Amino acid sequence: MMFRKKKKVNLVKEFLEKGRSVSIKDREEALNYLVAFVAMIRPRLSEFESANKKFAETLQFLHRHDSVVSNLRVAIMAQLINSNLVPLLTESGITVSRGAGRELYARLKHKLLPPAQDPSDFLYLLNRIFFKHNDYEWVEKIGQEKWIHLFELLGLHFSENNPVIMKQVIVSLQILSARVAQLGWENEITFNTPAQWQPPNNPFAVQQYLVYQIKEQVIRHNQSHEAVQALAKRLNAVLSECFQLVQHIRNETADKGTSLSQTFILFQIEQKLNRMILLLDIADADEKINLARFAKLFITVVRNENRKNSIREFLSQTTSYLAYQIAEHKGKKGSKYITSSPLEYWQMIGSAMWGGLIICFVAIFKNLLGLLQMAPFWHGFVYSVNYSMGFVAIEETRSTLATKQPAFTASAVASSLDARKSDEPPNLYNLAVTVSKVSRSQIASFIGNLIIVFPVTYLLVWLYDWATGHPLVQGEKAVQLLRDQHPWQSLSLLYACNTGFFLFLSGIIAGYVQNKINYGRIDKRLTEHPVLRLSLPANRLQKIATYINEHGGSLAGNIALGFFLGMAGIVGKIFGIPFDIRHITISAANTSIGAYGVGWEHINYRYLANVVAGVLGIGFLNFLVSFSLAFFVAVRSRGIRLKDYPGFLKILWKYFRSHPLDFIRPRKRRSAKEPTQTV
């Protein structure tokens, strides 16, 4: 008991009790005071939900004690005046101007061995204050509005009365301005800049000239506030033009495509422009500062310092727009798979019936190829070619394969929530209607595929038996075909999930290749190719270029899917692991082939019913996995957070209860009172 540990008193409360004041000259003491203040706000790891409550209690504490507010203001100014702010203002939260590969390498290197920090650097102090790796979580949870309230309470302001701070702000503004100008002259930007923004009106060049003039006014001549404010107003207008140009280039990527390099450059320009606007707000000789931007910078910097070496964060930020374009290409195609009227519904069934017919021949050829004596790899290769030709034939005949839809319709559904396309909040009722349309369209395509695949495949194997005098498969092989589709006597449902992933991946490949074709202007390069121009007639070359431009992505996706499905089982055999695929239409065809080989007189009909149920389960998992993955990518690439729409599931359930048949087939008539249903 004699050595009881003395309870540590928080430095903020200790200063309050003793009536002490923080000295602006004692930087270390001021830093300890800020560390102690943040410790008062910081919730425990298990109490992140109570972050807002704790913050509110701290604000009440500040309202009751003016001396604490004064000490905080002095402690913050002591750090700002005595620290190097340039790295904070020009680098924190901003990707350095280097390639995506080099940035990724740098983060990986610093993740293993963090770089040394200069104690005079303000970021070093920030890391001392927000030293826990998850501090950014509760800082973000508190929200921008409450941080604004705290900064208003502290009364922070910047003016010419703070020459040290002002000089660093101007230097930072110059650095960012030069970097924006440099990035603005990159080929990926200049080639896509319209005539109205070409030199001498290029906003990326003009802004650098205006920043130089502001520097001359503030630092060297120190002329009237009106002159600086007039320049700041002109610079604000030019920065707005820079944002317009960035958005213009992004908007054109829907038709022209984009690249990781262009995406990375636009991402960097936008980051730097946002920071320049904040610095201009400080440097415009006006003591007022936009606290909303300041609070946003504060939250961003804390997150960046906690996550500065996060590879996942970097990839998520820089590839979001590239993923967005891939999802957009898929979304445009996905709209054709969504039926609205009874006529479209029956057209979908008819289209799916043609697709099912093609799959019947694919399944027959696959089993014939299995009779060939060759090495496992070549078996997988010929299976892959067979599948690819079938999928390409379905694409060229504009027929439908049910499992190809989810990867595309998911992007179309996510587009309904896309805040980038409208300033208005999404209509959740219309989204529920869209989900019902996707559901019935998917059911229509499954029906169309299966009502053809089951009987026509059976007819084809009967014709084969009649023509050759022996069944395509018989005995144990026929039994094995049925067993492979059984829901619990095989791993068919697990393999169906593998197929769902491959369906999703082939959709990504299709979108990516189509994006590259558009961005690389492949059609124009083909028509202007020196050898092709001499060896082919101009009209034929133009047709080839147009075909590749319109169908190149689909061809790549179909061929990729064919090889994924064809090689999967062979890979499993080579490595001795349970790895294979199950595709609903191919499984349905194999069920018919197996049933004919076994013979109706030897079939247990309950067993056959279980096999058919397994085929339907395979189809459901094909759809569920493919749709879920594609929807996740489409939502993430658009920056949509599903938690922002907590009422959607309730609206969807209410719609399902009132119109359950809409999820199976379209209504023939709609009431005039019913809200307009749009996709």
Side-chain angles (χ1 to χ4, degrees):
M1 297 296 291
M2 292 177 59
F3 301 101
R4 180 183 296 173
K5 189 174 180 181
K6 188 176 180 181
K7 187 176 180 182
K8 189 175 181 181
V9 180
N10 184 280
L11 193 62
V12 174
K13 295 180 180 178
E14 182 181 327
F15 268 59
L16 179 62
E17 291 171 1
K18 296 181 179 179
R20 292 178 59 191
S21 298
V22 175
S23 171
I24 199 167
K25 296 180 181 180
D26 192 341
R27 184 169 175 245
E28 189 63 28
E29 181 184 67
L31 175 60
N32 292 333
Y33 193 87
L34 290 174
V35 171
F37 177 72
V38 170
M40 290 175 59
I41 305 174
R42 180 185 290 113
R44 293 179 182 177
L45 186 62
S46 59
E47 299 175 350
F48 268 17
E49 295 298 322
S50 64
N52 284 295
K53 180 181 177 182
K54 205 163 186 180
F55 190 80
E57 291 172 354
T58 305
L59 286 179
Q60 291 176 3
F61 176 76
L62 292 177
H63 279 293
R64 291 197 304 268
H65 303 288
D66 292 338
S67 62
V68 177
V69 175
S70 177
N71 278 338
L72 275 175
R73 188 184 303 118
V74 171
I76 293 172
M77 294 305 296
Q79 306 311 316
L80 294 174
I81 291 172
N82 298 302
S83 303
N84 179 12
L85 300 177
V86 174
L88 165 73
L89 299 176
T90 61
E91 294 178 14
S92 184
I94 299 178
T95 306
V96 180
S97 298
R98 54 190 173 199
R102 289 180 61 192
E103 177 69 20
L104 189 62
Y105 170 73
R107 292 200 177 206
L108 181 61
K109 180 175 64 176
H110 292 155
K111 200 175 187 72
L112 298 173
L113 185 63
Q117 284 189 303
D118 184 355
S120 65
D121 188 341
F122 189 81
L123 291 178
Y124 171 80
L125 305 174
L126 201 70
N127 284 312
R128 282 273 306 274
I129 297 169
F130 297 95
F131 57 88
K132 292 195 174 182
H133 71 279
N134 57 357
D135 273 340
Y136 75 95
E137 294 184 19
W138 62 264
V139 168
E140 290 178 346
K141 194 168 190 63
I142 286 170
Q144 187 172 316
E145 291 299 321
K146 292 180 180 176
W147 285 113
I148 291 173
H149 183 59
L150 174 62
F151 296 142
E152 285 176 343
L153 186 61
L154 295 177
L156 293 175
H157 61 85
F158 307 95
S159 68
E160 71 277 4
N161 296 325
N162 309 118
V164 176
I165 296 176
M166 194 58 61
K167 182 178 180 181
Q168 296 195 68
V169 167
I170 294 297
V171 170
S172 301
L173 194 59
Q174 278 187 282
I175 293 171
L176 291 170
S177 173
R179 290 175 180 171
V180 166
Q182 177 190 4
L183 291 169
W185 290 114
E186 293 285 347
N187 289 339
E188 287 86 348
I189 306 301
T190 55
F191 287 165
N192 294 283
T193 300
Q196 70 190 80
W197 282 313
Q198 291 290 348
N201 300 319
N202 189 300
F204 296 130
V206 174
Q207 60 84 24
Q208 191 175 18
Y209 170 72
L210 291 174
V211 167
Y212 176 79
Q213 286 190 311
I214 290 175
K215 184 207 76 170
E216 292 293 299
Q217 291 286 347
V218 173
I219 292 183
R220 294 193 177 183
H221 299 300
N222 196 24
Q223 292 185 5
S224 66
H225 295 337
E226 290 75 14
V228 176
Q229 289 175 359
L231 285 170
K233 189 174 180 181
R234 285 179 60 193
L235 180 56
N236 253 321
V238 173
L239 293 179
S240 295
E241 283 192 69
C242 291
F243 277 114
Q244 291 173 29
L245 178 51
V246 168
Q247 193 56 46
H248 172 82
I249 294 173
R250 281 184 176 151
N251 291 341
E252 285 203 327
T253 58
D255 297 319
K256 294 183 177 180
T258 187
S259 68
L260 187 58
S261 176
Q262 185 191 68
T263 301
F264 189 64
I265 291 171
L266 291 174
F267 173 70
Q268 288 186 85
I269 290 175
E270 195 170 50
Q271 282 184 320
K272 291 169 175 60
L273 290 174
N274 281 320
R275 187 62 55 83
M276 285 181 69
I277 288 176
L278 175 64
L279 296 182
L280 183 61
D281 194 28
I282 298 173
D284 64 359
D286 184 353
E287 291 194 9
K288 295 180 181 178
I289 182 173
N290 188 317
L291 287 177
R293 289 199 192 107
F294 187 79
K296 187 176 181 180
L297 171 65
F298 166 73
I299 295 170
T300 301
V301 167
V302 172
R303 180 186 180 94
N304 182 70
E305 288 309 301
N306 283 172
R307 305 273 292 165
K308 59 188 174 185
N309 294 324
S310 170
I311 295 172
R312 179 181 177 184
E313 188 101 344
F314 170 71
L315 292 175
S316 176
Q317 290 174 338
T318 54
T319 60
S320 62
Y321 276 100
L322 182 59
Y324 179 76
Q325 293 309 323
I326 292 171
E328 275 295 276
H329 286 299
K330 291 162 62 184
K332 288 178 182 178
K333 187 173 180 179
S335 59
K336 82 171 190 176
Y337 290 128
I338 300 177
T339 62
S340 298
S341 65
L343 176 61
E344 291 176 352
Y345 181 81
W346 288 107
Q347 286 176 339
M348 175 66 72
I349 291 178
S351 174
M353 290 171 69
W354 282 109
L357 181 63
I358 293 171
I359 290 297
C360 293
F361 287 95
V362 169
I364 294 293
F365 290 146
K366 193 262 184 182
N367 280 276
L368 285 172
L369 291 170
L371 300 175
L372 299 176
Q373 297 297 320
M374 58 178 66
F377 172 82
W378 294 111
H379 258 142
F381 181 80
V382 294
Y383 291 162
S384 301
V385 172
N386 176 50
Y387 285 144
S388 298
M389 290 176 64
F391 297 146
V392 170
I394 289 172
E395 184 73 31
E396 291 302 306
T397 57
R398 298 189 179 182
S399 47
T400 301
L401 186 63
T403 51
K404 291 291 294 294
Q405 288 177 240
F408 297 98
T409 54
S411 295
V413 173
S415 183
S416 303
L417 292 170
D418 195 350
R420 300 181 191 182
K421 296 186 175 181
S422 173
D423 294 329
E424 299 294 324
N427 187 323
L428 297 183
Y429 178 84
N430 280 349
L431 180 59
V433 173
T434 301
V435 171
S436 72
K437 291 178 180 179
V438 169
S439 171
R440 65 175 176 247
S441 302
Q442 189 68 54
I443 290 173
S445 57
F446 275 133
I447 291 172
N449 283 163
L450 295 181
I451 61 176
I452 291 296
V453 171
F454 277 122
V456 173
T457 304
Y458 192 89
L459 176 63
L460 289 175
V461 291
W462 176 80
L463 288 173
Y464 179 87
D465 188 8
W466 176 77
T468 63
H470 60 84
L472 181 59
V473 295
Q474 57 185 323
E476 184 57 33
K477 286 186 178 180
V479 173
Q480 188 61 42
L481 275 180
L482 293 177
R483 189 182 298 122
D484 285 344
Q485 324 312 323
H486 199 283
W488 56 80
Q489 289 187 0
S490 70
L491 297 176
S492 60
L493 298 183
L494 175 63
Y495 296 158
C497 295
N498 295 339
T499 305
F501 173 76
F502 288 138
L503 289 163
F504 154 75
L505 187 57
S506 67
I508 290 290
I509 291 171
Y512 177 78
V513 171
Q514 190 62 52
N515 172 72
K516 294 296 288 185
I517 288 172
N518 292 348
Y519 182 74
R521 302 177 185 177
I522 300 299
D523 55 339
K524 187 176 181 181
R525 289 159 65 181
L526 283 172
T527 55
E528 295 177 357
H529 194 280
V531 176
L532 294 177
R533 286 175 64 183
L534 295 175
S535 56
L536 291 173
N539 59 343
R540 183 178 298 177
L541 183 58
Q542 184 60 54
K543 286 181 179 179
I544 293 172
T546 302
Y547 177 83
I548 291 176
N549 192 58
E550 293 177 356
H551 299 91
S554 297
L555 281 173
N558 285 316
I559 292 171
L561 179 61
F563 274 81
F564 288 149
L565 301 189
M567 295 299 295
I570 302 302
V571 169
K573 289 179 181 178
I574 290 173
F575 290 99
I577 57 175
F579 185 79
D580 207 340
I581 58 95
R582 290 293 182 273
H583 185 281
I584 179 173
T585 50
I586 298 171
S587 292
N590 285 337
T591 299
S592 291
I593 295 171
Y596 183 86
V598 171
W600 291 106
E601 65 277 11
H602 301 114
I603 284 183
N604 182 318
Y605 291 103
R606 180 176 294 180
Y607 184 87
L608 184 61
N610 288 332
V611 171
V612 172
V615 171
L616 297 178
I618 288 168
F620 174 74
L621 289 173
N622 288 165
F623 167 80
L624 181 65
V625 173
S626 178
F627 185 90
S628 300
L629 290 172
F631 185 71
F632 175 77
V633 169
V635 163
R636 286 293 301 271
S637 69
R638 288 170 166 84
I640 300 168
R641 297 189 304 177
L642 294 178
K643 65 180 181 181
D644 293 338
Y645 308 103
F648 172 66
L649 290 179
K650 185 177 180 181
I651 292 172
L652 181 63
W653 173 245
K654 185 177 179 181
Y655 181 79
F656 177 76
R657 288 186 63 185
S658 57
H659 307 291
L661 293 180
D662 280 13
F663 289 76
I664 301 174
R665 52 103 182 110
R667 274 179 275 173
K668 294 182 180 179
R669 298 184 218 174
R670 291 187 175 88
S671 169
K673 295 182 181 179
E674 186 178 354
T676 305
Q677 297 184 8
T678 57
V679 177

